[in-house]
């Protein structure tokens, strides 16, 4: 304030824009902004001129044309007759699937490893140090390739699970058997797991061409309802405990409420598992090239998922360790003085406070997982980069359009994650009253 | 003043960057080297030999163009490209010419703004499977897992073939031939599908080639040929006529061995025009008059190149078939040099 009134009240001269500190910073900002706009304009003009020179235009019409290629893993219905736009969404959902799964797994691994790394047990602590240092210091891409080639090279071929005529004649078994009660088959192509099937499904309806499964909705509703009722039971038990000092036994009620309704629903819908198996011809000889039935998870998914979660788990572990170390030792001692056991001290006193330190780096790890899922292209995982930025781009030759659209989508994904996690961060951060 | 300088620079840069592609011939001459987009490695077509030098049917065409333009077949740099990267590389000017088993299709010609200047190999898509599968026809592949190179025409043909035969498959997308072969050998896919010539070439490199068969079905037309950017017609002419000069050489019986002898003694007017003994043929395209002679001198005529790299005497063992000269019942036909 004082500075402004002290300033000389002379006429405004142009040179003051540079020599007068009141204006200089504004001048500089205007110049920088001007340069920036000029740079962007130059880029755009360059783009336009080059496109014109090559006789190309910018058009997104290809998104509505037939894609013509097949995708091995799809979460929404897709055939080669679907459009490129649809393929984009198949890819996007594949990106989301692997990213979300990896975020969960990385958090689990990271929190466990971070806590254990501080363990008083020397071996456990060292083991976690080795895990963190080894996985963090080798590029992610190598882990992805390694995981994939282990699956592809070590696992048996599907044909090794087949029963041949000779085996039938001599009463032999195929060289390899399914694992886990004869229900899961891991081949060098993928993991075949049982699929949940309903004999009497509730049907489905289409929203924007995507089928919404009513049976799944019903199951989710029943489960949520059960949890809600359960929380009421516990709340009332707590109220009674507070009133009388005596906590009524609730476990059997909880169990009943949580298990009976969903079981009843599943029974009513005729739920059972469809086990992957080879088609069988007469006298028990297996036919076909692959397991049929069940769900087949391609190794590109599994390998990408494993590599992402284990690699990013190390960073989360470090964030968790830093968060815990940031909580003063006095907190632990105070908890011990009150007679709390180490486990409860960690869960109730330390971790909640540590969250404030942990969440911001956690956000950036989630962002990294999502962005790094594009590395799946090395093992032909058909995510957004694989469909829109890979096959579609190639078959249509619309490089610029595909790249821009893809960048926009990743930007949108990242911003969404950021916003979501920041809301969470605000809810856990220290509230100063 | 400043503003006009700035704008001037802007316009100049833009015009310059726009004009970069206009005269490929001048660029190649100025650089003293031809940039040829090639396979990452497909024995017989284009693959580095023990000395790291590219050899093969497609590579020979690149060398012939280099000889025609620069007078020296060694002045060519091979840029390995996958099915996915090849067209971007060509249209961005990273290579002057693409000879990489590329199929001439309508949309590549029109929408991608390329010119396919000739067809150096008439091909079609096939399937390779292990003999032990006991499959005799591609129609028996219902439910199979199929390895397929991404960014290719074969990717689309595959989908169409299975659809029209009402059978299903699981695609395993791979980026190049080496990866495809690895996956196929490891049993990650039951069948490998690509151009039949490529299959024969891949099969020849397998340690146990006799245990693999190429199924009889040819499910598409794959005219493979050299590609240039749309718009530089003179450059397109140079590549086209370099290729034709090799065909005409075969037609006229001019080989690598007898080239000098023919040049010294021939009285046939077309041969004389081709070899630059008469007229100003090369100059019309901005080249030396002995351009074609230089091109033929590299690895001989079309037939010689075919036999040396793909023919029945090689492990790949492809017959000329459609690629015989028109005089021998094939489709290879060059317009007259006149
Ligand atoms: N002709 C098809 C396929 C071309 C293609 O990718 N061919 C394979 C096998 S014939 C190849 O050249 N592979 C060698 C490599 O990946 O470097 C096209 O133009 O799209």
């Amino acid at each position: 304030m004082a500075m402004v009134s002290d300033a000389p009240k002379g006429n405004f001269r142009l040179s003051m824009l540079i020599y007068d500190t009141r204006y200089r910073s504004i001048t500089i900002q205007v110049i920088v902004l001007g340069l920036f706009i000029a740079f962007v304009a130059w880029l755009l003009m360059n783009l336009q001129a080059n496109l014109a020179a090559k006789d190309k235009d910018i058009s997104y019409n290809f998104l509505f044309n037939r894609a013509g290629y097949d995708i091995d893993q799809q979460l929404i219905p897709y055939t080669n007759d679907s459009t490129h736009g649809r393929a984009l969404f198949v890819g996007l959902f594949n990106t989301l699937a692997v990213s979300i799964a990896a975020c969960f797994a990385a958090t689990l691994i990271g929190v466990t490893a971070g806590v254990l790394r501080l363990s008083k047990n020397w071996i456990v602590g060292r083991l976690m140090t080795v895990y963190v240092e080894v996985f963090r210091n080798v590029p992610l891409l190598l882990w992805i390739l390694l995981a994939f080639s282990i699956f592809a090279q070590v696992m048996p071929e599907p044909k090794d699970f087949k029963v041949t005529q000779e085996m039938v004649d001599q009463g032999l078994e195929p060289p390899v058997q399914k694992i886990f009660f004869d229900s899961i088959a891991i081949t060098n192509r993928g993991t075949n797991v049982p699929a949940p099937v309903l004999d009497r499904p509730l049907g489905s309806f289409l929203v924007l061409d995507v089928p919404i499964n009513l049976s799944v909705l019903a199951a989710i509703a029943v489960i949520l309802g059960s949890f809600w009722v359960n929380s009421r039971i516990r709340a009332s038990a707590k109220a009674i405990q507070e009133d009388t000092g005596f906590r009524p036994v609730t476990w059997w009620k909880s169990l009943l409420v949580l298990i009976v309704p969903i079981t009843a629903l599943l029974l009513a819908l005729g739920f059972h598992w469809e086990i992957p198996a080879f088609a069988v011809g007469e006298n028990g000889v297996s036919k076909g090239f692959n397991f049929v039935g069940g769900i087949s998870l391609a190794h590109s998914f599994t390998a990408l998922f494993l590599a992402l979660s284990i690699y990013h788990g190390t960073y989360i572990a470090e964030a968790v360790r830093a968060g815990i170390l940031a909580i003063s030792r006095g907190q632990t001692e105070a908890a011990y003085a009150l007679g709390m056991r180490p486990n409860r001290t960690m869960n109730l006193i330390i971790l909640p406070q540590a969250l404030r330190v942990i969440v911001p780096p956690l956000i950036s790890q989630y962002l990294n997982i999502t962005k790094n899922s594009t590395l799946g292209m090395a093992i032909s995982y058909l995510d957004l980069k694989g469909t829109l930025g890979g096959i579609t781009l190639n078959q249509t030759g619309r490089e610029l359009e595909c790249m821009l659209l893809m960048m926009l989508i990743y930007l949108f994904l990242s911003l969404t994650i950021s916003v979501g996690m920041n809301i969470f961060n605000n809810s856990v951060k220290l509230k100063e009253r | 003043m400043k503003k006009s300088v700035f704008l001037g620079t802007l316009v100049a840069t833009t015009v310059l960057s726009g004009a970069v592609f206009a005269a490929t011939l001048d660029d190649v001459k100025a650089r003293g080297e031809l940039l040829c987009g090639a396979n990452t490695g497909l024995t017989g077509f284009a693959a580095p030999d023990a000395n790291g030098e590219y050899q093969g049917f497609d590579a020979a065409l690149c060398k012939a163009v280099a000889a025609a333009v620069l007078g020296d077949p060694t002045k060519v740099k091979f840029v390995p490209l996958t099915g996915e990267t090849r067209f971007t590389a060509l249209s961005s000017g990273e290579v002057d010419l693409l000879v990489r088993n590329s199929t001439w299709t309508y949309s590549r010609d029109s929408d991608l703004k390329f010119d396919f200047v000739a067809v150096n190999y008439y091909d079609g898509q096939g399937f390779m499977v292990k003999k032990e599968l006991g499959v005799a026809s591609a129609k028996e592949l219902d439910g199979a897992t199929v390895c397929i190179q991404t960014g290719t025409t074969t990717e689309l043909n595959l989908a169409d073939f299975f659809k029209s035969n009402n059978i299903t498959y699981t695609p395993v997308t791979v980026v190049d031939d080496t990866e495809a072969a690895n996956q196929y050998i490891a049993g990650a896919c039951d069948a490998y599908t690509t151009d039949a010539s490529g299959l024969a070439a891949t099969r020849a490199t397998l340690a146990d080639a006799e245990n693999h068969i190429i199924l009889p079905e040819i499910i598409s037309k794959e005219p493979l040929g050299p590609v240039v950017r749309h718009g530089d017609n003179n450059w397109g002419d140079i590549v086209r006529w370099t290729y034709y000069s090799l065909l005409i050489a075969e037609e006229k019986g001019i080989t690598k061995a007898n080239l000098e002898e023919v040049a010294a003694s021939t009285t046939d007017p077309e041969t004389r025009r081709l070899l630059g003994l008469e007229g100003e043929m090369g100059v019309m395209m901005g080249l030396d008059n002995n351009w074609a002679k230089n091109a033929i001198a590299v690895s001989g005529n079309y037939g010689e190149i075919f036999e040396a790299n793909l023919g029945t005497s090689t492990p790949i063992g492809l017959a000329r078939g459609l690629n015989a000269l028109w005089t021998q019942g094939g489709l290879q036909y060059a317009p007259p040099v006149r």
Side-chain angles (χ1 to χ4, degrees), chain A residues 120 331-350:
Chain A
K120 291 219 180 58
Q331 299 274 338
T332 318
E333 281 160 4
Y336 286 174
L338 289 176
M340 279 197 162
R341 272 181 255 138
N343 263 344
R344 307 207 81 190
T345 309
M346 183 53 85
N347 290 338
L348 296 176
I349 309 287
I350 310 293

Side-chain angles (χ1 to χ4, degrees), chain B residues 39-40 86 100-101 103 108 149 152-153 176-177 194-195:
Chain B
N39 273 313
T40 51
R86 57 184 157 166
R100 193 209 167 278
N101 308 71
T103 304
R108 286 175 180 175
Q149 273 195 55
T152 63
T153 49
D176 62 19
D177 193 64
T194 185
D195 302 336

Side-chain angles (χ1 to χ4, degrees), chain A residues 173-189:
Chain A
E173 295 271 284
V176 200
Q177 299 290 332
K178 282 180 277 187
I179 54 171
F180 208 73
F181 303 112
D182 208 24
S183 64
I184 297 178
I186 306 181
T187 71
N188 62 351
R189 293 177 190 173

